[in-house]
Amino acid sequence: MVKKRFHNNRIFLYAVLLFFSVIIILPYLWILTMSLKPVRAIFSPPYLIPVNFHWKNYLEAWNAAPFARFYFNTTVMTVFIVAGQVIFSAMAAYAFARLKFPGRDILFFIFLGTMMVPFQAIMIPSYLIVLRLGWIDTYYALIVPRLVSAFGIFLLRQYFITIPYELDQAASIDGCTKLGILWQIIIPLSMPAVSALAIFSFLFAWNDFLWPLIVINKPSMRTIQLGLAMFQGKYGTRWNYLMAGTVTATVPSIVVFLLGQKRFIEGITLTGLKG
Amino acid sequence: MNIKRVILLSAVTFLLSVYSFAEGTKEEAGKEGGKINLEFWNYWQGKNAEVLKALITEYEKQKPNVTINNVYIGWGELLPKLQTASAGGKMPDIAAVDLVWMPKLVRSKTLVKLDPFIEKSGVNMKDFYPETLRVSRYESAYYSLPVSTNNLELFYNKDMFKKAGLDAEKPPVTWGELVSHARKLTIRDGSQSGMEVFTQPGEGLTWQAQVYIWQTGADFLNSSNSAPAFNSDGGEKAIGFLVDLIRKYKVAPLAKWGLFGQGKAAMVMDGSWMVGIWAESAPFNWGTARVPIPADGKPATNMGGEQIFIGKTTPKAEAAAWNFIRWLTGKDAQLKWDMETGFMPVRDSVAEDSTYKEWITKKEPRLLPFAVNQKYAHSRPPITNYPEVSDIFSKNVEKAFYGKVTVREALTSAANEIAPMLK
């Protein structure tokens, strides 16, 4: 009896899960199908099941712009933004969670406050600074202004304060420095939060559009997202190329998400529950 | 300990590699000798971009000391990029932009006044269609030149015409014929509508509606752009006609734009650029015709296209940029440009040129209705808040399309909202 009810619950659970996975997967199927259609069939059904396999779209989309260079640029930008956000957030979060200094909490709230300012509001001033520094069309412009993230500091600080303070004390009695405590004790214990931050910043950097758009003029310094926008024009959008390019650009994000899925979900629940 | 080293090492490598990249960039930007490097921003892509590149190569051969760096920027991105560039005082040497952006850009004070150049080079401004120059002027000076234009005419699906028993070579000429054709072409199960009307709010709706307003002899704004003029008998007649297509005859559905291309509508009013796109992508036979006009009305259409201007840089670069834009908007380059891209002529001398006339009749006769009507093309009012005005107009007209208000109510309410914005 009990066993049967358990069984029914399971079926119900899987039915619900299946329903939502179908909803989530539909747009991806649509993109995939569109990306494989010849241009004349773009607006004719079927929309969700690929029946044409016009692989040439992928080759043509790839050749329509220097995409190899765009991938390289996005990769460089993403790697350094992820590294920077993890390292700097960890150091700042450690200070906010562990060190005692006057004005600490006020400073932390000021940092939090910056999360409320929309990017559009600081876009022009940031651009002017980058322009004065002579960084237009360089990796500096793509990376440096985004090395620090208030969200990352917040995320890690909330996790760090849950780690027992006794561990720090024991380590410092054994002669460990503050930096040593951070790298050898706090960070290894905070891997769920650190990986969540890494994935968040990866997705942010990989998909970012507005900032690269403003600071990059030269075609050779463009990122993938800027490259994809090139398929949308005033005089018509090249849907099949745009979709083929989107599929290729989405694959790395999906791979990273699948690899870090567990941590990613932990990261989201962390920010919501603990504090 | 290990992690620390790896991080440190990668940080150093990162700084070094970025530094070397940045250095490379600086060297590239440096000028070599007396050579002038001009940066040209535009959003032309596909065939248009190919033709432009060929023209640039031709120009560079004539002027070996000038290099034109053609930078493609997407249509949705070019205006914000120009606005940030002008805020930073770092304008490109040359840019070709959507003509509706000109009123905004010209007020940024980062565009070069062209009058001294025009006088010195003796350019005959009368050869340009006067309407194409409306957005070029600001405070009685020229800040840009028309470089390409296009307009809206009727497209019709010949296969559907034949199936409905209509003569595929005789598209409708008047509003009355448009209605009777559309009724025969509409299949009541919803699979095929006779006519496609732009029903979603936004500039798409406004710039289509303006054609019908101008056809009645009415105007969108008054001649000094200081008050709305669409709330007139003509305006009411024009919008009333569209509402009738949707609500009375039920030949145009309230649906997302794009039905004609998907083979779900038999007729549509769309731009000349679609000739090239549908020639390549439409899986059916189609033709074009001049937009049908009311029985007592006059031909009219709406003008799109690009204006080319010079950004404020250095006197030397500005002079070089002028030489290029004068050449590109000149008759010889324009002839090639129009015949290769399918853009409509901005100059009378191109439209009347025998090579051009022969090309259009033989090579792409489906562009003929557009070429014939180009001289009846109106320019949208060159006011800075045109996007907002257009938005308010379209939202009110949409309500009439949905039958929530009468046509008169919609136009009066739009006029009341817009009037204070024009003061």
PDB file of all heavy atoms in Angstrom, chain A residues 40 43 80 87 124 127-128 131 213 216-217 222 230 233-235, chain B residues 7 14 45 72 77 81 84 88 90 150 273 277 280-282 306:
ATOM      1  N   ARG A  40      14.453  29.574 -47.745  1.00  0.00           N
ATOM      2  CA  ARG A  40      13.077  29.599 -48.239  1.00  0.00           C
ATOM      3  C   ARG A  40      12.095  28.883 -47.325  1.00  0.00           C
ATOM      4  O   ARG A  40      10.882  29.067 -47.423  1.00  0.00           O
ATOM      5  CB  ARG A  40      13.007  28.967 -49.625  1.00  0.00           C
ATOM      6  CG  ARG A  40      13.271  29.941 -50.727  1.00  0.00           C
ATOM      7  CD  ARG A  40      13.413  29.251 -52.062  1.00  0.00           C
ATOM      8  NE  ARG A  40      14.144  30.098 -52.987  1.00  0.00           N
ATOM      9  CZ  ARG A  40      13.577  31.039 -53.733  1.00  0.00           C
ATOM     10  NH1 ARG A  40      12.284  31.231 -53.675  1.00  0.00           N
ATOM     11  NH2 ARG A  40      14.304  31.793 -54.532  1.00  0.00           N
ATOM     12  N   PHE A  43       9.938  30.160 -42.773  1.00  0.00           N
ATOM     13  CA  PHE A  43       8.623  30.420 -42.194  1.00  0.00           C
ATOM     14  C   PHE A  43       7.600  29.340 -42.521  1.00  0.00           C
ATOM     15  O   PHE A  43       6.413  29.562 -42.422  1.00  0.00           O
ATOM     16  CB  PHE A  43       8.123  31.797 -42.610  1.00  0.00           C
ATOM     17  CG  PHE A  43       8.950  32.900 -42.051  1.00  0.00           C
ATOM     18  CD1 PHE A  43       9.709  33.715 -42.875  1.00  0.00           C
ATOM     19  CD2 PHE A  43       9.004  33.118 -40.686  1.00  0.00           C
ATOM     20  CE1 PHE A  43      10.497  34.718 -42.350  1.00  0.00           C
ATOM     21  CE2 PHE A  43       9.798  34.120 -40.153  1.00  0.00           C
ATOM     22  CZ  PHE A  43      10.544  34.928 -40.987  1.00  0.00           C
ATOM     23  N   PHE A  80      39.323  36.032 -17.798  1.00  0.00           N
ATOM     24  CA  PHE A  80      39.850  37.008 -16.848  1.00  0.00           C
ATOM     25  C   PHE A  80      38.769  37.633 -15.982  1.00  0.00           C
ATOM     26  O   PHE A  80      39.005  37.942 -14.829  1.00  0.00           O
ATOM     27  CB  PHE A  80      40.708  38.040 -17.569  1.00  0.00           C
ATOM     28  CG  PHE A  80      41.987  37.424 -18.048  1.00  0.00           C
ATOM     29  CD1 PHE A  80      42.252  37.261 -19.393  1.00  0.00           C
ATOM     30  CD2 PHE A  80      42.910  36.941 -17.126  1.00  0.00           C
ATOM     31  CE1 PHE A  80      43.418  36.649 -19.826  1.00  0.00           C
ATOM     32  CE2 PHE A  80      44.084  36.317 -17.549  1.00  0.00           C
ATOM     33  CZ  PHE A  80      44.333  36.178 -18.898  1.00  0.00           C
ATOM     34  N   ILE A  87      38.628  36.050  -7.412  1.00  0.00           N
ATOM     35  CA  ILE A  87      39.731  36.441  -6.524  1.00  0.00           C
ATOM     36  C   ILE A  87      39.377  37.694  -5.720  1.00  0.00           C
ATOM     37  O   ILE A  87      39.450  37.721  -4.497  1.00  0.00           O
ATOM     38  CB  ILE A  87      41.021  36.672  -7.333  1.00  0.00           C
ATOM     39  CG1 ILE A  87      41.476  35.346  -7.962  1.00  0.00           C
ATOM     40  CG2 ILE A  87      42.124  37.242  -6.446  1.00  0.00           C
ATOM     41  CD1 ILE A  87      42.553  35.502  -9.010  1.00  0.00           C
ATOM     42  N   ILE A 124      27.605  55.812 -19.683  1.00  0.00           N
ATOM     43  CA  ILE A 124      28.330  56.903 -20.344  1.00  0.00           C
ATOM     44  C   ILE A 124      29.548  57.341 -19.521  1.00  0.00           C
ATOM     45  O   ILE A 124      30.650  57.442 -20.058  1.00  0.00           O
ATOM     46  CB  ILE A 124      27.392  58.089 -20.652  1.00  0.00           C
ATOM     47  CG1 ILE A 124      26.243  57.648 -21.564  1.00  0.00           C
ATOM     48  CG2 ILE A 124      28.156  59.263 -21.265  1.00  0.00           C
ATOM     49  CD1 ILE A 124      26.523  57.632 -23.037  1.00  0.00           C
ATOM     50  N   TYR A 127      32.186  54.844 -19.947  1.00  0.00           N
ATOM     51  CA  TYR A 127      32.768  54.953 -21.291  1.00  0.00           C
ATOM     52  C   TYR A 127      33.779  56.089 -21.350  1.00  0.00           C
ATOM     53  O   TYR A 127      34.865  55.946 -21.905  1.00  0.00           O
ATOM     54  CB  TYR A 127      31.650  55.160 -22.317  1.00  0.00           C
ATOM     55  CG  TYR A 127      32.143  55.608 -23.684  1.00  0.00           C
ATOM     56  CD1 TYR A 127      32.684  54.692 -24.581  1.00  0.00           C
ATOM     57  CD2 TYR A 127      32.074  56.947 -24.072  1.00  0.00           C
ATOM     58  CE1 TYR A 127      33.130  55.088 -25.818  1.00  0.00           C
ATOM     59  CE2 TYR A 127      32.529  57.357 -25.314  1.00  0.00           C
ATOM     60  CZ  TYR A 127      33.058  56.428 -26.182  1.00  0.00           C
ATOM     61  OH  TYR A 127      33.510  56.836 -27.412  1.00  0.00           O
ATOM     62  N   LEU A 128      33.413  57.229 -20.744  1.00  0.00           N
ATOM     63  CA  LEU A 128      34.308  58.387 -20.787  1.00  0.00           C
ATOM     64  C   LEU A 128      35.629  58.088 -20.077  1.00  0.00           C
ATOM     65  O   LEU A 128      36.696  58.491 -20.545  1.00  0.00           O
ATOM     66  CB  LEU A 128      33.620  59.614 -20.176  1.00  0.00           C
ATOM     67  CG  LEU A 128      32.436  60.152 -20.992  1.00  0.00           C
ATOM     68  CD1 LEU A 128      31.792  61.329 -20.296  1.00  0.00           C
ATOM     69  CD2 LEU A 128      32.870  60.540 -22.404  1.00  0.00           C
ATOM     70  N   LEU A 131      37.624  55.868 -22.245  1.00  0.00           N
ATOM     71  CA  LEU A 131      38.110  56.645 -23.393  1.00  0.00           C
ATOM     72  C   LEU A 131      39.345  57.463 -23.019  1.00  0.00           C
ATOM     73  O   LEU A 131      40.349  57.474 -23.733  1.00  0.00           O
ATOM     74  CB  LEU A 131      36.992  57.572 -23.879  1.00  0.00           C
ATOM     75  CG  LEU A 131      37.289  58.468 -25.070  1.00  0.00           C
ATOM     76  CD1 LEU A 131      37.338  57.638 -26.348  1.00  0.00           C
ATOM     77  CD2 LEU A 131      36.217  59.546 -25.228  1.00  0.00           C
ATOM     78  N   LEU A 213      29.724  46.401 -26.721  1.00  0.00           N
ATOM     79  CA  LEU A 213      29.230  47.187 -27.855  1.00  0.00           C
ATOM     80  C   LEU A 213      29.777  48.606 -27.820  1.00  0.00           C
ATOM     81  O   LEU A 213      30.167  49.170 -28.837  1.00  0.00           O
ATOM     82  CB  LEU A 213      27.692  47.225 -27.822  1.00  0.00           C
ATOM     83  CG  LEU A 213      27.053  48.219 -28.774  1.00  0.00           C
ATOM     84  CD1 LEU A 213      27.194  47.739 -30.202  1.00  0.00           C
ATOM     85  CD2 LEU A 213      25.598  48.442 -28.438  1.00  0.00           C
ATOM     86  N   ILE A 216      33.997  48.782 -28.014  1.00  0.00           N
ATOM     87  CA  ILE A 216      34.698  48.149 -29.136  1.00  0.00           C
ATOM     88  C   ILE A 216      34.171  48.680 -30.462  1.00  0.00           C
ATOM     89  O   ILE A 216      32.968  48.665 -30.708  1.00  0.00           O
ATOM     90  CB  ILE A 216      34.521  46.606 -29.089  1.00  0.00           C
ATOM     91  CG1 ILE A 216      35.136  46.031 -27.822  1.00  0.00           C
ATOM     92  CG2 ILE A 216      35.122  45.951 -30.332  1.00  0.00           C
ATOM     93  CD1 ILE A 216      36.600  46.297 -27.619  1.00  0.00           C
ATOM     94  N   ASN A 217      35.078  49.184 -31.297  1.00  0.00           N
ATOM     95  CA  ASN A 217      34.707  49.599 -32.641  1.00  0.00           C
ATOM     96  C   ASN A 217      35.277  48.665 -33.692  1.00  0.00           C
ATOM     97  O   ASN A 217      34.639  48.358 -34.681  1.00  0.00           O
ATOM     98  CB  ASN A 217      35.223  51.010 -32.940  1.00  0.00           C
ATOM     99  CG  ASN A 217      34.618  52.038 -32.012  1.00  0.00           C
ATOM    100  OD1 ASN A 217      33.495  51.876 -31.550  1.00  0.00           O
ATOM    101  ND2 ASN A 217      35.361  53.089 -31.728  1.00  0.00           N
ATOM    102  N   ARG A 222      35.806  42.461 -31.632  1.00  0.00           N
ATOM    103  CA  ARG A 222      34.425  42.187 -31.226  1.00  0.00           C
ATOM    104  C   ARG A 222      34.294  40.832 -30.542  1.00  0.00           C
ATOM    105  O   ARG A 222      35.096  39.941 -30.750  1.00  0.00           O
ATOM    106  CB  ARG A 222      33.509  42.236 -32.449  1.00  0.00           C
ATOM    107  CG  ARG A 222      33.304  43.651 -32.908  1.00  0.00           C
ATOM    108  CD  ARG A 222      32.402  43.744 -34.102  1.00  0.00           C
ATOM    109  NE  ARG A 222      32.444  45.127 -34.585  1.00  0.00           N
ATOM    110  CZ  ARG A 222      31.924  45.528 -35.728  1.00  0.00           C
ATOM    111  NH1 ARG A 222      31.312  44.678 -36.513  1.00  0.00           N
ATOM    112  NH2 ARG A 222      32.011  46.784 -36.073  1.00  0.00           N
ATOM    113  N   MET A 230      25.278  41.083 -35.699  1.00  0.00           N
ATOM    114  CA  MET A 230      25.537  41.510 -37.074  1.00  0.00           C
ATOM    115  C   MET A 230      24.586  40.858 -38.071  1.00  0.00           C
ATOM    116  O   MET A 230      24.455  41.317 -39.192  1.00  0.00           O
ATOM    117  CB  MET A 230      26.984  41.187 -37.464  1.00  0.00           C
ATOM    118  CG  MET A 230      27.986  42.049 -36.719  1.00  0.00           C
ATOM    119  SD  MET A 230      29.684  41.472 -36.879  1.00  0.00           S
ATOM    120  CE  MET A 230      30.009  41.784 -38.593  1.00  0.00           C
ATOM    121  N   GLY A 233      19.633  42.963 -39.372  1.00  0.00           N
ATOM    122  CA  GLY A 233      19.835  44.225 -40.062  1.00  0.00           C
ATOM    123  C   GLY A 233      18.544  44.988 -40.231  1.00  0.00           C
ATOM    124  O   GLY A 233      17.460  44.489 -39.956  1.00  0.00           O
ATOM    125  N   LYS A 234      18.680  46.235 -40.683  1.00  0.00           N
ATOM    126  CA  LYS A 234      17.500  47.032 -40.959  1.00  0.00           C
ATOM    127  C   LYS A 234      16.753  46.429 -42.138  1.00  0.00           C
ATOM    128  O   LYS A 234      15.536  46.357 -42.156  1.00  0.00           O
ATOM    129  CB  LYS A 234      17.925  48.455 -41.291  1.00  0.00           C
ATOM    130  CG  LYS A 234      16.742  49.354 -41.551  1.00  0.00           C
ATOM    131  CD  LYS A 234      17.188  50.705 -42.028  1.00  0.00           C
ATOM    132  CE  LYS A 234      15.996  51.550 -42.405  1.00  0.00           C
ATOM    133  NZ  LYS A 234      16.394  52.702 -43.191  1.00  0.00           N
ATOM    134  N   TYR A 235      17.510  46.004 -43.138  1.00  0.00           N
ATOM    135  CA  TYR A 235      16.890  45.467 -44.330  1.00  0.00           C
ATOM    136  C   TYR A 235      16.860  43.950 -44.268  1.00  0.00           C
ATOM    137  O   TYR A 235      17.424  43.249 -45.086  1.00  0.00           O
ATOM    138  CB  TYR A 235      17.622  45.973 -45.577  1.00  0.00           C
ATOM    139  CG  TYR A 235      17.626  47.481 -45.657  1.00  0.00           C
ATOM    140  CD1 TYR A 235      18.800  48.207 -45.607  1.00  0.00           C
ATOM    141  CD2 TYR A 235      16.431  48.177 -45.765  1.00  0.00           C
ATOM    142  CE1 TYR A 235      18.791  49.586 -45.666  1.00  0.00           C
ATOM    143  CE2 TYR A 235      16.408  49.552 -45.822  1.00  0.00           C
ATOM    144  CZ  TYR A 235      17.589  50.254 -45.775  1.00  0.00           C
ATOM    145  OH  TYR A 235      17.572  51.628 -45.828  1.00  0.00           O
TER     146      TYR A 235
ATOM    147  N   ILE B   7      47.444  30.795  -9.505  1.00  0.00           N
ATOM    148  CA  ILE B   7      46.700  32.045  -9.685  1.00  0.00           C
ATOM    149  C   ILE B   7      47.648  33.203  -9.968  1.00  0.00           C
ATOM    150  O   ILE B   7      47.445  33.987 -10.893  1.00  0.00           O
ATOM    151  CB  ILE B   7      45.821  32.330  -8.442  1.00  0.00           C
ATOM    152  CG1 ILE B   7      44.681  31.307  -8.390  1.00  0.00           C
ATOM    153  CG2 ILE B   7      45.254  33.744  -8.476  1.00  0.00           C
ATOM    154  CD1 ILE B   7      43.872  31.364  -7.132  1.00  0.00           C
ATOM    155  N   PHE B  14      48.449  36.969 -17.757  1.00  0.00           N
ATOM    156  CA  PHE B  14      47.330  37.763 -18.262  1.00  0.00           C
ATOM    157  C   PHE B  14      47.749  39.207 -18.516  1.00  0.00           C
ATOM    158  O   PHE B  14      47.545  39.766 -19.590  1.00  0.00           O
ATOM    159  CB  PHE B  14      46.167  37.685 -17.268  1.00  0.00           C
ATOM    160  CG  PHE B  14      45.264  38.887 -17.243  1.00  0.00           C
ATOM    161  CD1 PHE B  14      44.548  39.253 -18.384  1.00  0.00           C
ATOM    162  CD2 PHE B  14      45.118  39.636 -16.082  1.00  0.00           C
ATOM    163  CE1 PHE B  14      43.721  40.351 -18.357  1.00  0.00           C
ATOM    164  CE2 PHE B  14      44.294  40.736 -16.064  1.00  0.00           C
ATOM    165  CZ  PHE B  14      43.606  41.095 -17.200  1.00  0.00           C
ATOM    166  N   GLN B  45      24.677  45.766 -44.806  1.00  0.00           N
ATOM    167  CA  GLN B  45      25.203  44.407 -44.734  1.00  0.00           C
ATOM    168  C   GLN B  45      24.829  43.648 -46.002  1.00  0.00           C
ATOM    169  O   GLN B  45      24.137  44.164 -46.868  1.00  0.00           O
ATOM    170  CB  GLN B  45      24.675  43.705 -43.482  1.00  0.00           C
ATOM    171  CG  GLN B  45      23.170  43.657 -43.436  1.00  0.00           C
ATOM    172  CD  GLN B  45      22.624  42.938 -42.237  1.00  0.00           C
ATOM    173  OE1 GLN B  45      21.446  43.015 -41.975  1.00  0.00           O
ATOM    174  NE2 GLN B  45      23.451  42.218 -41.499  1.00  0.00           N
ATOM    175  N   TYR B  72      31.377  47.981 -40.125  1.00  0.00           N
ATOM    176  CA  TYR B  72      29.962  47.625 -40.058  1.00  0.00           C
ATOM    177  C   TYR B  72      29.523  47.587 -38.601  1.00  0.00           C
ATOM    178  O   TYR B  72      30.148  46.947 -37.763  1.00  0.00           O
ATOM    179  CB  TYR B  72      29.727  46.257 -40.706  1.00  0.00           C
ATOM    180  CG  TYR B  72      28.380  45.688 -40.371  1.00  0.00           C
ATOM    181  CD1 TYR B  72      27.260  46.104 -41.080  1.00  0.00           C
ATOM    182  CD2 TYR B  72      28.213  44.794 -39.326  1.00  0.00           C
ATOM    183  CE1 TYR B  72      26.008  45.618 -40.762  1.00  0.00           C
ATOM    184  CE2 TYR B  72      26.952  44.305 -38.995  1.00  0.00           C
ATOM    185  CZ  TYR B  72      25.860  44.714 -39.709  1.00  0.00           C
ATOM    186  OH  TYR B  72      24.625  44.253 -39.382  1.00  0.00           O
ATOM    187  N   GLU B  77      22.467  48.969 -33.189  1.00  0.00           N
ATOM    188  CA  GLU B  77      23.574  49.401 -32.329  1.00  0.00           C
ATOM    189  C   GLU B  77      24.195  50.725 -32.752  1.00  0.00           C
ATOM    190  O   GLU B  77      24.868  51.377 -31.969  1.00  0.00           O
ATOM    191  CB  GLU B  77      24.679  48.336 -32.324  1.00  0.00           C
ATOM    192  CG  GLU B  77      24.322  47.090 -31.558  1.00  0.00           C
ATOM    193  CD  GLU B  77      23.552  46.094 -32.415  1.00  0.00           C
ATOM    194  OE1 GLU B  77      24.073  45.633 -33.430  1.00  0.00           O
ATOM    195  OE2 GLU B  77      22.388  45.804 -32.079  1.00  0.00           O
ATOM    196  N   LYS B  81      25.834  53.787 -30.342  1.00  0.00           N
ATOM    197  CA  LYS B  81      27.288  53.923 -30.446  1.00  0.00           C
ATOM    198  C   LYS B  81      27.685  55.341 -30.864  1.00  0.00           C
ATOM    199  O   LYS B  81      28.646  55.903 -30.347  1.00  0.00           O
ATOM    200  CB  LYS B  81      27.841  52.907 -31.446  1.00  0.00           C
ATOM    201  CG  LYS B  81      28.201  51.594 -30.790  1.00  0.00           C
ATOM    202  CD  LYS B  81      29.166  50.791 -31.616  1.00  0.00           C
ATOM    203  CE  LYS B  81      30.565  51.312 -31.506  1.00  0.00           C
ATOM    204  NZ  LYS B  81      31.286  50.778 -30.360  1.00  0.00           N
ATOM    205  N   THR B  84      27.234  57.645 -27.795  1.00  0.00           N
ATOM    206  CA  THR B  84      28.335  57.581 -26.831  1.00  0.00           C
ATOM    207  C   THR B  84      29.595  58.203 -27.428  1.00  0.00           C
ATOM    208  O   THR B  84      30.314  58.917 -26.737  1.00  0.00           O
ATOM    209  CB  THR B  84      28.648  56.134 -26.384  1.00  0.00           C
ATOM    210  OG1 THR B  84      28.412  55.249 -27.468  1.00  0.00           O
ATOM    211  CG2 THR B  84      27.824  55.712 -25.212  1.00  0.00           C
ATOM    212  N   GLY B  88      31.738  61.357 -25.959  1.00  0.00           N
ATOM    213  CA  GLY B  88      33.170  61.275 -25.658  1.00  0.00           C
ATOM    214  C   GLY B  88      34.011  62.120 -26.590  1.00  0.00           C
ATOM    215  O   GLY B  88      35.226  62.119 -26.485  1.00  0.00           O
ATOM    216  N   LYS B  90      34.596  61.593 -29.676  1.00  0.00           N
ATOM    217  CA  LYS B  90      35.423  60.747 -30.528  1.00  0.00           C
ATOM    218  C   LYS B  90      34.593  60.195 -31.672  1.00  0.00           C
ATOM    219  O   LYS B  90      34.371  58.996 -31.777  1.00  0.00           O
ATOM    220  CB  LYS B  90      36.025  59.621 -29.699  1.00  0.00           C
ATOM    221  CG  LYS B  90      37.492  59.479 -30.057  1.00  0.00           C
ATOM    222  CD  LYS B  90      38.172  58.330 -29.419  1.00  0.00           C
ATOM    223  CE  LYS B  90      39.462  58.109 -30.155  1.00  0.00           C
ATOM    224  NZ  LYS B  90      39.845  56.777 -30.353  1.00  0.00           N
ATOM    225  N   ASN B 150      14.645  54.689 -50.243  1.00  0.00           N
ATOM    226  CA  ASN B 150      13.719  53.627 -50.616  1.00  0.00           C
ATOM    227  C   ASN B 150      12.322  54.084 -50.243  1.00  0.00           C
ATOM    228  O   ASN B 150      12.167  55.126 -49.597  1.00  0.00           O
ATOM    229  CB  ASN B 150      14.079  52.321 -49.895  1.00  0.00           C
ATOM    230  CG  ASN B 150      14.376  52.518 -48.436  1.00  0.00           C
ATOM    231  OD1 ASN B 150      13.577  53.124 -47.711  1.00  0.00           O
ATOM    232  ND2 ASN B 150      15.526  52.052 -47.984  1.00  0.00           N
ATOM    233  N   TRP B 273      13.443  47.473 -50.425  1.00  0.00           N
ATOM    234  CA  TRP B 273      14.507  46.522 -50.089  1.00  0.00           C
ATOM    235  C   TRP B 273      13.984  45.082 -50.040  1.00  0.00           C
ATOM    236  O   TRP B 273      14.757  44.145 -50.180  1.00  0.00           O
ATOM    237  CB  TRP B 273      15.159  46.894 -48.763  1.00  0.00           C
ATOM    238  CG  TRP B 273      14.208  46.882 -47.611  1.00  0.00           C
ATOM    239  CD1 TRP B 273      13.916  45.816 -46.806  1.00  0.00           C
ATOM    240  CD2 TRP B 273      13.412  47.969 -47.144  1.00  0.00           C
ATOM    241  NE1 TRP B 273      12.980  46.179 -45.877  1.00  0.00           N
ATOM    242  CE2 TRP B 273      12.656  47.477 -46.044  1.00  0.00           C
ATOM    243  CE3 TRP B 273      13.257  49.305 -47.540  1.00  0.00           C
ATOM    244  CZ2 TRP B 273      11.747  48.283 -45.351  1.00  0.00           C
ATOM    245  CZ3 TRP B 273      12.358  50.098 -46.846  1.00  0.00           C
ATOM    246  CH2 TRP B 273      11.624  49.591 -45.774  1.00  0.00           C
ATOM    247  N   ILE B 277      15.154  40.794 -51.029  1.00  0.00           N
ATOM    248  CA  ILE B 277      15.041  39.737 -50.018  1.00  0.00           C
ATOM    249  C   ILE B 277      14.062  38.653 -50.466  1.00  0.00           C
ATOM    250  O   ILE B 277      14.350  37.466 -50.407  1.00  0.00           O
ATOM    251  CB  ILE B 277      14.621  40.349 -48.663  1.00  0.00           C
ATOM    252  CG1 ILE B 277      15.782  41.188 -48.120  1.00  0.00           C
ATOM    253  CG2 ILE B 277      14.223  39.264 -47.676  1.00  0.00           C
ATOM    254  CD1 ILE B 277      15.466  41.980 -46.887  1.00  0.00           C
ATOM    255  N   GLU B 280      15.001  36.311 -53.243  1.00  0.00           N
ATOM    256  CA  GLU B 280      15.860  35.216 -52.807  1.00  0.00           C
ATOM    257  C   GLU B 280      15.100  34.209 -51.945  1.00  0.00           C
ATOM    258  O   GLU B 280      15.338  33.009 -52.016  1.00  0.00           O
ATOM    259  CB  GLU B 280      17.024  35.806 -51.997  1.00  0.00           C
ATOM    260  CG  GLU B 280      18.121  34.843 -51.650  1.00  0.00           C
ATOM    261  CD  GLU B 280      19.055  35.438 -50.608  1.00  0.00           C
ATOM    262  OE1 GLU B 280      19.340  36.657 -50.688  1.00  0.00           O
ATOM    263  OE2 GLU B 280      19.482  34.692 -49.710  1.00  0.00           O
ATOM    264  N   SER B 281      14.171  34.710 -51.110  1.00  0.00           N
ATOM    265  CA  SER B 281      13.652  33.826 -50.067  1.00  0.00           C
ATOM    266  C   SER B 281      12.181  33.434 -50.189  1.00  0.00           C
ATOM    267  O   SER B 281      11.758  32.496 -49.534  1.00  0.00           O
ATOM    268  CB  SER B 281      13.884  34.461 -48.696  1.00  0.00           C
ATOM    269  OG  SER B 281      13.040  35.571 -48.542  1.00  0.00           O
ATOM    270  N   ALA B 282      11.360  34.159 -51.003  1.00  0.00           N
ATOM    271  CA  ALA B 282       9.932  33.842 -51.003  1.00  0.00           C
ATOM    272  C   ALA B 282       9.663  32.588 -51.836  1.00  0.00           C
ATOM    273  O   ALA B 282      10.054  32.526 -52.999  1.00  0.00           O
ATOM    274  CB  ALA B 282       9.129  35.015 -51.539  1.00  0.00           C
ATOM    275  N   GLU B 306      19.209  56.345 -46.065  1.00  0.00           N
ATOM    276  CA  GLU B 306      20.339  56.751 -45.228  1.00  0.00           C
ATOM    277  C   GLU B 306      20.883  58.119 -45.626  1.00  0.00           C
ATOM    278  O   GLU B 306      20.819  58.511 -46.791  1.00  0.00           O
ATOM    279  CB  GLU B 306      21.472  55.728 -45.336  1.00  0.00           C
ATOM    280  CG  GLU B 306      21.203  54.443 -44.572  1.00  0.00           C
ATOM    281  CD  GLU B 306      20.276  53.493 -45.313  1.00  0.00           C
ATOM    282  OE1 GLU B 306      20.364  53.448 -46.559  1.00  0.00           O
ATOM    283  OE2 GLU B 306      19.446  52.818 -44.666  1.00  0.00           O
TER     284      GLU B 306
END
